[in-house]
Amino acid sequence: MVIDLRSDTVTRPTSSMRDAMGSAELGDDVFGDDPTVTRLEELAAGMLGKEAGMFVPSGTQSNLCALLTHCGRGDEYLVGQTAHAYLFEGGGGAVLGSVQPQPLEQEADGTLDFEKLAALVKPDDFHYARSRLLCLENTTWGKVLPLEYLETVRPFAEKYGLSLHLDGARIFNAAVVSGVPASKVAAPFDSVSLCLSKGLGAPVGSVLVASEDFIKEGKRFRKMLGGGMRQSGLLAAAGIYALENHVERLAEDHANARTLAEGLAEIPGVTVDPVQTNMVFVDVCGDTIHLAERMEASGVLMAGYTGKKIRLVTHLDISAKNIEKVLCEFREALS
Ligand SMILES: *Cc1c(COP(=O)(O)O)cnc(C)c1O
């Protein structure tokens, strides 16, 4: 059996989740007729403390719909240099919305520094794009934005006239680690995107949550981008199951990641970044490609990242026993 640590997107729906999908009540959601999609949207919005939600096929489309709703042509958004919504979404805001990104380096803890941000906000002058939106990511590269930091986000944004979007693909990992409801992590933001298809274990889908008015406008962009789906309650049912059953258990993924990190750190020549959630970044100071091939031959898949570090991600389909085996294989491969 293959142990797949490349990403938390690789999970397969559990049999209970498949049962929930199989018995979902369906309708045409473009007509607003799918009761299961509506229930998912209300559930997600409620959990994140927002008025309304919109089910979309992917996190990329969710962020893009948010970006297009917040920003118009000639506007810009401030965003982390290695944030998904800047680096890994094909430049969608620029291509499809004429929205200019203003990226900046994140701090070591994953936050964006307010002084650096303030210096990047453009004055009201026709030479510049209009600074419209600040986009944060939580968790970001496995790191959880501190609650004290989140409390200062809204006052900053108000001072500079920015609206706030959170790429909360893994917001529930952040909430579980911080020991607070996800609504508290979401509170400062006007819009929040969450992924059902990561650690929560659903096969497909994200939900964008915000005010009623924002989601009404967001649905226009979803349709434009080809994200209006029909009997999508089949997929939404998996999302409901995930939100009702797979949130608390994220703590197990975090514990497995810690065990993995501790075991790896004991191997000579291996350096491991501090672990907060379900991602372990490992520097083996050697040939990672060769190592990845060796590990693959023994049934362990992992992602070489940025050419230097290896990324190992725990999830629903990884058990504590799997972690033991992974550590054995690493010790052997690196000995
Ligand atoms: C995965 C991910 C997304 C995008 O989700 P897709 O469903 O893969 O398009 C957005 N942001 C972050 C932080 C992610 O990890």
Side-chain angles (χ1 to χ4, degrees), residues 58-60 63 84 89 137 139 167 169-170 195 197-198 206:
S58 70
T60 300
N63 281 333
H84 203 283
E89 298 185 1
E137 182 174 290
T139 63
D167 180 355
R170 298 185 180 81
C195 284
S197 58
K198 303 274 165 87
S206 284

Side-chain angles (χ1 to χ4, degrees), residues 38-242:
T38 303
R39 196 150 70 82
L40 170 66
E41 292 172 342
E42 287 172 0
L43 177 64
M47 288 172 88
L48 298 189
K50 305 296 177 201
E51 283 174 9
M54 168 172 97
F55 184 46
V56 282
S58 70
T60 300
Q61 190 174 99
S62 188
N63 281 333
L64 183 55
C65 285
L67 196 50
L68 295 176
T69 306
H70 281 292
C71 300
R73 183 173 175 227
D75 290 347
E76 74 170 8
Y77 67 115
L78 297 107
V79 61
Q81 188 79 49
T82 57
H84 203 283
Y86 168 61
L87 192 56
F88 297 128
E89 298 185 1
V95 175
L96 300 164
S98 303
V99 180
Q100 161 175 294
Q102 168 60 70
L104 77 156
E105 207 72 53
Q106 286 106 314
E107 303 303 304
D109 63 358
T111 59
L112 294 178
D113 180 78
F114 291 129
E115 264 177 48
K116 292 179 190 167
L117 280 171
L120 290 170
V121 173
K122 311 298 182 287
D124 182 9
D125 171 329
F126 60 62
H127 289 87
Y128 299 104
R130 285 174 295 256
S131 303
R132 184 72 73 198
L133 172 71
L134 171 59
C135 176
L136 298 180
E137 182 174 290
N138 196 11
T139 63
T140 180
W141 292 72
K143 291 168 190 163
V144 180
L145 301 185
L147 289 176
E148 315 82 73
Y149 175 78
L150 290 181
E151 273 167 28
T152 57
V153 168
R154 183 100 225 155
F156 172 82
E158 277 169 6
K159 180 169 172 195
Y160 290 95
L162 302 169
S163 52
L164 286 166
H165 174 68
L166 178 68
D167 180 355
R170 298 185 180 81
I171 189 173
F172 287 104
N173 296 78
V176 164
V177 167
S178 302
V180 296
S183 58
K184 177 141 193 199
V185 180
F189 299 92
D190 300 300
S191 59
V192 180
S193 169
L194 80 97
C195 284
L196 300 163
S197 58
K198 303 274 165 87
L200 295 178
V204 176
S206 284
V207 186
L208 180 65
V209 299
S211 67
E212 300 263 9
D213 287 347
F214 189 95
I215 293 301
K216 184 160 179 254
E217 193 58 19
K219 283 187 175 171
R220 186 186 301 278
F221 289 115
R222 178 180 69 174
K223 185 67 188 155
M224 211 183 281
L225 297 171
M229 298 184 286
R230 303 297 177 173
Q231 285 71 35
S232 41
L234 199 70
L235 300 170
I240 293 169
Y241 186 89

Side-chain angles (χ1 to χ4, degrees), residues 280-303:
V280 184
F281 292 93
V282 190
D283 193 338
V284 292
C285 55
D287 182 356
T288 53
I289 298 188
H290 180 68
L291 176 66
E293 282 168 3
R294 239 192 111 164
M295 293 295 284
E296 186 170 346
S298 52
V300 179
L301 301 186
M302 51 197 209

